[in-house]
């Protein structure tokens, strides 16, 4: 056997829960998803990510089953697998995993085995943020439902502004010293590792998660995961039926001359002239909406966001894109990826291109978005700086 290079990253996969809500006849991670277990599928995502020591934390008595799953998922990286027995709470299980880290490990990701369909790209994003200097990083997705605070009788006390909320996922990434110290000094049992590290006084930053990284908790979640694996080619190790893909195109143009600040590509651009339009005139977001609706065969932006929808007057990209994702989901589609190009003299995108991609990606629930920008050599209305044009393509996948 060839030994893989010594990694500086470790992923602790916690799989030691009992799965009382799933009631799957075995501890949750060992319940079948396709021909293999939930744990096996989770580990395919882990091993598709950065090279890492993978510590799998399992219930007492399941060490052998876990080793079989982990070796199969690891392929040539099988020597990077460590199996340990978990504890009574999730935090105890995390501590058991951390105690099995090799000496060279500098960055630790903690991942719920129950988030079986988490794409490898999420692992890459979390590691990149820790590498960029963060002590603690969590992947999040926007909250799309309207949220209410309710009292113990079930009466609504107040609404909660969802723009301030985000749903936390795993893998959560930490500098090893930070996580180990927080575990050693823990005074309470926390529901996730970010809460533990935050209680120890560290800032926690976010990166885009992915809607498909939902946690399998109930029987309905298990069914959803199974059905998604039918259309996601990377998601299944059994024989999948042919996935159904559709592409769409959308364009939009807005002229300068609106009120207030410029909003474009989901970002505010202080000091730039605003675009005019029924909403904020964000031509980039509107082109993406049209591309997504076209791909799914759901009409166009006027069908769903016309001037007869006063709630979208003045709305920003986030509201348009989140509602579009809901429309697609209701029709049985999820978004694969989006690519958009802006033609404009102003604003200059170079310095904020990545920020725009992150904002648009977050609004779409974490899917990959590429933004490019170009000028038109002084020709046409964009060349005369009269307005902005945007061209988008989108891929959607049947769920
Ligand atoms: N977990 C763990 N050790 C525990 C409890 C939970 O490793 N003592 C893991 C689970 O295996 C799961 C993750 O933590 O991957 C998130 O927990 P949850 O979804 O609540 O799973 P369970 O505790 O197994 O499910 P339930 O709460 O329905 O019993
Ligand atoms: Mg639990």
């Amino acid at each position: 056997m060839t030994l893989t290079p010594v990694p500086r990253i470790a992923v602790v996969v916690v799989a030691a829960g009992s799965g009382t809500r799933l009631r799957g006849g075995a501890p949750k991670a060992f319940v079948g998803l396709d021909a293999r277990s939930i744990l096996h599928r989770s580990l395919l995502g882990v091993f598709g990510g950065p090279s890492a020591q993978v510590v799998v934390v399992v219930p007492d008595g399941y060490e052998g089953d876990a080793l079989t799953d982990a070796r199969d998922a690891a392929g040539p990286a099988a020597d990077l697998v460590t199996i340990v027995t978990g504890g009574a709470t999730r935090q105890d299980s995390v501590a058991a995993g951390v105690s099995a880290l090799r000496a060279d490990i500098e960055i630790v990701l903690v991942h719920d085995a129950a988030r079986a369909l988490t794409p490898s790209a999420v692992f890459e994003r979390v590691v990149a943020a820790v590498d960029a200097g963060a002590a603690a990083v969590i992947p999040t997705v926007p909250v799309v439902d309207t949220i209410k605070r309710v009292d113990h009788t079930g009466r609504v006390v107040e609404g909660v502004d969802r723009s301030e909320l985000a749903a936390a996922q795993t893998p959560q990434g930490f500098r090893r010293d930070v996580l180990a110290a927080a575990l050693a000094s823990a005074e309470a049992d926390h529901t996730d590792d970010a809460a533990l590290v935050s209680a120890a006084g560290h800032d926690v930053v976010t990166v885009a998660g992915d809607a498909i990284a939902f946690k399998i908790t109930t029987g309905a979640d298990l069914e959803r995961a199974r059905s998604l694996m039918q259309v996601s080619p990377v998601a299944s190790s059994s024989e999948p039926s042919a996935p159904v893909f559709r592409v769409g195109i959308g364009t939009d143009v807005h002229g300068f001359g609106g009120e207030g600040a410029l909003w474009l590509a989901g970002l505010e651009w202080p000091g730039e002239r605003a675009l005019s339009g029924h909403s904020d005139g964000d031509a980039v977001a509107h082109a993406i909406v049209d591309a997504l609706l076209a791909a799914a065969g759901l009409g166009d932006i006027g069908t769903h966001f016309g001037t007869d929808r006063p709630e979208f007057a003045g709305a920003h990209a986030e509201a348009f894109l989140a509602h579009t994702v809901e429309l697609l989901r209701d029709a049985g589609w999820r978004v694969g990826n989006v690519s958009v190009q802006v033609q404009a003299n102003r604003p200059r995108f170079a310095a904020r291109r990545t920020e725009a991609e992150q904002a648009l990606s977050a609004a779409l629930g974490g899917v990959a978005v590429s933004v490019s920008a170009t000028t038109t050599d002084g020709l046409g209305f964009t060349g005369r700086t009269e307005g902005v044009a945007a061209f988008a393509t989108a891929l959607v996948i049947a769920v």
Side-chain angles (χ1 to χ4, degrees), residues 13-23 27-29 57-59 86-94 111-115 191 215-218:
V13 181
V14 284
S18 53
T20 45
R21 288 168 289 183
L22 184 63
R23 285 184 279 137
K28 181 157 74 181
V57 189
V58 298
T89 66
R90 185 182 179 285
Q91 195 166 306
D92 293 339
S93 295
V94 173
H111 184 49
D112 288 342
R115 296 183 183 276
T191 51
K215 193 172 75 164
I216 299 174
T217 305
T218 63

Side-chain angles (χ1 to χ4, degrees), residues 13-74:
V13 181
V14 284
S18 53
T20 45
R21 288 168 289 183
L22 184 63
R23 285 184 279 137
K28 181 157 74 181
F30 298 88
V31 171
L33 187 51
D34 50 0
R36 309 291 302 241
S37 65
I38 288 176
L39 175 63
H40 183 267
R41 177 64 192 89
S42 297
L43 291 172
L44 289 179
V46 172
F47 283 104
S51 173
Q53 180 192 2
V54 177
V55 182
V56 188
V57 189
V58 298
D60 193 14
Y62 283 84
E63 294 84 352
D65 291 351
L67 191 59
T68 308
D69 273 348
R71 284 207 172 128
D72 184 82

